[in-house]
């Protein structure tokens, strides 16, 4: 073993050469990293930006760290240069040189003056921190990683979010113009209000991202590598979804614009048919009241004037391109128009029911007369009398339907009785035919 000193055994020449080679490689690596940090686009942006919030605070500390890094590096460079000069004095270093080199390479030979501590006049600089070369390298690595983390994070946010916000803002501008063309405006349509809110949010978001990018950085959990993490796009993503919802709303309005005329024409036809049906029902009601006695005839409502007014409003909305108002109005009108036509048809059916009953009784009476005529009983006095009585009641106005129905039933019963008592005429049907005839002229006619 060689001689020993405060730093341990004195290093031999080979150990010194190996240590100098290692320290030289570390020096080159550190210098390359510091120069890369100095030229990093993120650092240049941070240096020239008007920062606020978290980024302002962290960048102030990072600038001090970068300045300290260069101070440490200069001290490291000086110590390494001194060691190289001592080693270069002679090919075979003397024991004194080796002892001095051992102290430089292993001892706390690097002194860095405390920042901001000026030395008194004529006095040596105020001493601060003392490092071994290995400890100084570790300290520089720590400061470099922390500084690079800030620079990379800010650069990552600036590289990702402002461009995406600008693209979304451009899409927002196109959507606003399209919305304006179809009448979707703030204060008049919810989608217009949403567009205004999205515009304000994106403007504020871009300003905040530019001035305080680190507020939108989410470090990766469990990662110690510089720049480990991702930009926080929560607000951006929310506004992008909101804009997509507005676009869908405007697409629906555009669809209304494309088929509005056809839908309005169809609505006019539906309401016109309902109006004609109601007019027919009113005319039929007058006829029923004149021709049918002792019958409750439902009242027929007037034309659907309220729906006609709404249809006129829809036409006005279309004429003035107020598609956002036209869309819900058309949907409501289409449902109401179908219901109005159905109500008109039901009203006509209810009003004309007595006339249908009278027509059915007339048919039964004539059918029964035809049956008895085929059996040669058309001139029977009783049948003729009952037929004429029923006929007068059914063809007179006003017609008492209840009395007329009883008259028809009496005529049918009399015919059935006579057909049952009539002798069989050869070739005109046997007992089976008589039974069938009786069934045909029965009460059900």
């Amino acid at each position: 073993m060689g001689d020993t000193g405060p730093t341990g055994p004195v290093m031999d020449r080979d150990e010194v050469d190996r240590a100098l080679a290692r320290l030289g490689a570390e020096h080159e690596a550190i210098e390359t990293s510091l120069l890369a940090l100095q030229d990093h686009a993120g650092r240049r942006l941070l240096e020239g930006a008007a920062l606020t919030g978290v980024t302002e605070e962290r960048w102030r500390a990072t600038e001090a760290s970068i300045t300290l890094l260069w101070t440490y590096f200069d001290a490291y460079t000086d110590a390494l240069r001194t060691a190289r000069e001592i080693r270069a004095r002679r090919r075979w270093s003397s024991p004194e040189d080796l002892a001095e080199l051992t102290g430089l390479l292993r001892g706390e030979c690097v002194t860095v003056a405390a920042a901001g501590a000026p030395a008194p006049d004529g006095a040596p600089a105020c001493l601060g921190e003392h490092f071994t070369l290995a400890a100084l390298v570790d300290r520089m690595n720590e400061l470099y990683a922390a500084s690079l983390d800030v620079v990379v994070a800010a650069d990552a946010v600036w590289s990702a979010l402002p461009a995406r916000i600008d693209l979304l803002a451009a899409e927002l501008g196109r959507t606003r113009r399209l919305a304006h063309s179809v009448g979707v405006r703030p204060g008049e349509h919810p989608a217009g209000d949403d567009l205004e809110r999205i515009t304000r949010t994106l403007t504020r978001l871009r300003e905040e991202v530019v001035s305080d990018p680190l507020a939108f950085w989410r470090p990766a959990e469990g990662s110690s590598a510089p720049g480990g993490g991702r930009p926080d796009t929560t607000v951006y993503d929310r506004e992008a979804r909101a804009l997509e919802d507005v676009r869908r709303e405007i697409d629906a309005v555009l669809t209304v614009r494309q088929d509005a005329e056809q839908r309005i024409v169809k609505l006019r036809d539906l309401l016109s048919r309902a109006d004609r049906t109601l007019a027919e029902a009113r005319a039929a009601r007058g006829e029923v009241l004149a021709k049918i006695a002792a019958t409750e005839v439902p009242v027929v409502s007037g034309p659907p004037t309220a729906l006609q007014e709404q249809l006129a409003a829809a036409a006005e909305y279309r004429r003035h391109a107020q598609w956002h108002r036209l869309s819900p109005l058309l949907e409501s009108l289409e449902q109401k128009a179908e219901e109005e036509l159905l109500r008109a048809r039901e009203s006509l059916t209810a009003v004309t029911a007595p006339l249908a009953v009278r027509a059915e009784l007339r048919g039964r009476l004539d059918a029964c007369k035809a049956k008895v005529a085929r059996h040669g009983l058309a001139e029977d006095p009783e049948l003729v009398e009952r037929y004429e009585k029923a006929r007068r009641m059914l063809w007179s106005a006003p017609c008492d339907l209840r009395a007329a129905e009883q008259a028809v039933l009496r005529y049918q019963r009399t015919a059935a009785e006579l057909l049952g008592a009539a002798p069989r005429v050869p070739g005109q049907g046997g007992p089976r035919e008589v039974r069938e005839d009786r069934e045909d002229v029965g009460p059900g006619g």
Side-chain angles (χ1 to χ4, degrees):
M1 294 182 62
D3 296 335
T4 61
T7 58
V10 175
M11 302 170 68
D12 61 27
R13 187 185 59 184
D14 290 338
E15 289 176 324
V16 167
D17 289 342
R18 285 195 299 271
L20 287 174
R22 175 176 55 78
L23 291 171
E26 289 179 344
H27 179 272
E28 291 182 5
I30 293 171
E31 183 178 31
T32 300
S33 297
L34 287 177
L35 291 173
L37 178 62
Q38 194 72 13
D39 292 336
H40 196 289
R43 190 203 63 81
R44 292 198 301 271
L45 289 172
L46 283 165
E47 200 170 50
L51 302 175
T52 61
V54 176
T55 307
E56 181 184 19
E57 180 181 345
R58 292 188 63 185
W59 175 240
R60 190 183 299 116
T62 300
E63 277 190 308
S65 295
I66 293 175
T67 300
L68 186 58
L69 262 173
W70 282 106
T71 301
Y72 285 161
F73 179 72
D74 290 342
Y76 181 87
T77 302
D78 291 342
L80 180 60
R81 182 171 55 250
T82 300
R84 283 173 172 172
E85 289 174 352
I86 295 172
R87 177 65 183 88
R89 286 174 185 170
R90 51 184 63 85
R91 183 177 181 184
W92 305 100
S93 299
S94 65
E96 292 78 10
D97 290 343
L98 292 176
E100 187 177 0
L101 285 169
T102 300
L104 281 173
L105 297 177
R106 288 182 177 173
E108 292 183 348
C109 63
V110 182
T111 300
V112 180
D121 291 341
C126 180
L127 300 182
E129 300 173 284
H130 300 276
F131 298 95
T132 65
L133 287 175
L136 187 57
V137 169
D138 292 339
R139 178 64 177 145
M140 285 191 289
N141 285 335
E142 292 173 5
L143 287 175
Y144 174 79
S147 301
L148 183 64
D149 184 65
V150 171
V151 170
V152 169
D155 186 53
V157 173
W158 277 334
S159 298
L161 272 177
R164 294 174 69 180
I165 293 171
D166 290 343
L167 288 174
L168 189 61
E171 179 62 26
L172 174 63
R174 288 190 292 270
T175 305
R176 283 168 62 91
R177 290 191 293 273
L178 183 60
H180 187 81
S181 71
V182 296
V184 175
R185 298 180 177 88
E188 298 180 7
H189 192 281
D193 296 334
D194 289 341
L195 286 174
E196 285 297 299
R197 184 194 58 76
I198 295 170
T199 301
R200 291 193 300 270
T201 302
L202 286 183
T203 301
R204 184 174 63 253
L205 177 63
R206 196 184 194 287
E207 293 173 353
E208 292 173 354
V209 166
V210 169
S211 66
D212 191 8
L214 296 183
F216 297 87
W217 180 253
R218 293 294 173 266
E221 294 183 6
S223 174
S224 59
R230 62 177 181 81
D232 182 4
T233 61
T234 303
V235 177
Y236 169 86
D237 293 338
R238 184 189 67 211
E239 299 309 313
R241 289 192 298 269
L243 181 58
E244 181 61 29
D245 292 339
V246 172
R247 275 201 297 262
R248 283 196 292 268
E249 180 71 21
I250 294 173
D251 287 342
V253 174
L254 284 172
T255 302
V256 172
R257 183 173 69 174
Q258 292 169 358
D259 60 7
E261 183 176 2
Q262 181 181 357
R263 292 171 70 181
I264 289 176
V265 169
K266 183 179 178 182
L267 278 169
R268 284 199 184 103
D269 179 62
L270 282 173
L271 293 179
S272 177
R273 286 158 59 190
D275 195 12
R276 291 196 301 271
T277 303
L278 287 175
E280 185 180 349
R282 287 191 292 272
R285 185 173 188 272
E287 181 182 357
V288 169
L289 291 175
K291 294 182 177 180
I292 307 297
T295 300
E296 292 293 334
V297 184
V299 176
V300 180
S301 64
T305 55
L307 296 185
Q308 292 289 358
E309 291 173 357
Q310 292 179 26
L311 182 59
E316 281 297 309
Y317 289 155
R318 179 183 174 276
R319 188 174 300 110
H320 293 93
Q322 294 179 316
W323 311 111
H324 61 291
R325 294 183 177 177
L326 180 59
S327 177
L329 181 57
L330 283 180
E331 291 180 4
S332 173
L333 270 174
E334 284 167 346
Q335 180 180 355
K336 292 178 180 178
E338 292 284 355
E339 294 172 353
E340 181 65 22
L341 180 57
L342 178 61
R343 185 179 65 82
R345 287 171 173 169
E346 291 174 347
S347 181
L348 178 60
T349 300
V351 166
T352 57
L355 295 178
V357 172
R358 186 185 68 173
E360 192 266 339
L361 291 173
R362 286 177 175 180
R364 285 165 57 185
L365 183 63
D366 289 342
C368 186
K369 180 183 179 182
K371 291 291 183 181
V372 298
R374 289 204 306 269
H375 291 278
L377 298 175
E379 302 301 326
D380 183 86
E382 187 177 6
L383 282 177
V384 170
E385 178 188 358
R386 294 197 171 186
Y387 173 79
E388 289 298 330
K389 183 176 180 181
R391 187 178 183 283
R392 281 195 305 274
M393 296 179 70
L394 287 171
W395 268 266
S396 63
C399 172
D400 187 337
L401 285 179
R402 294 185 181 85
E405 183 178 17
Q406 293 302 317
V408 171
L409 288 174
R410 283 194 295 273
Y411 177 71
Q412 288 179 315
R413 282 196 294 268
T414 301
E417 291 171 358
L418 291 175
L419 287 173
R424 181 177 180 273
V425 179
Q428 293 188 355
R432 178 182 177 86
E433 288 180 320
V434 172
R435 285 197 300 274
E436 290 176 352
D437 288 339
R438 291 180 64 186
E439 293 172 358
D440 289 341
V441 299

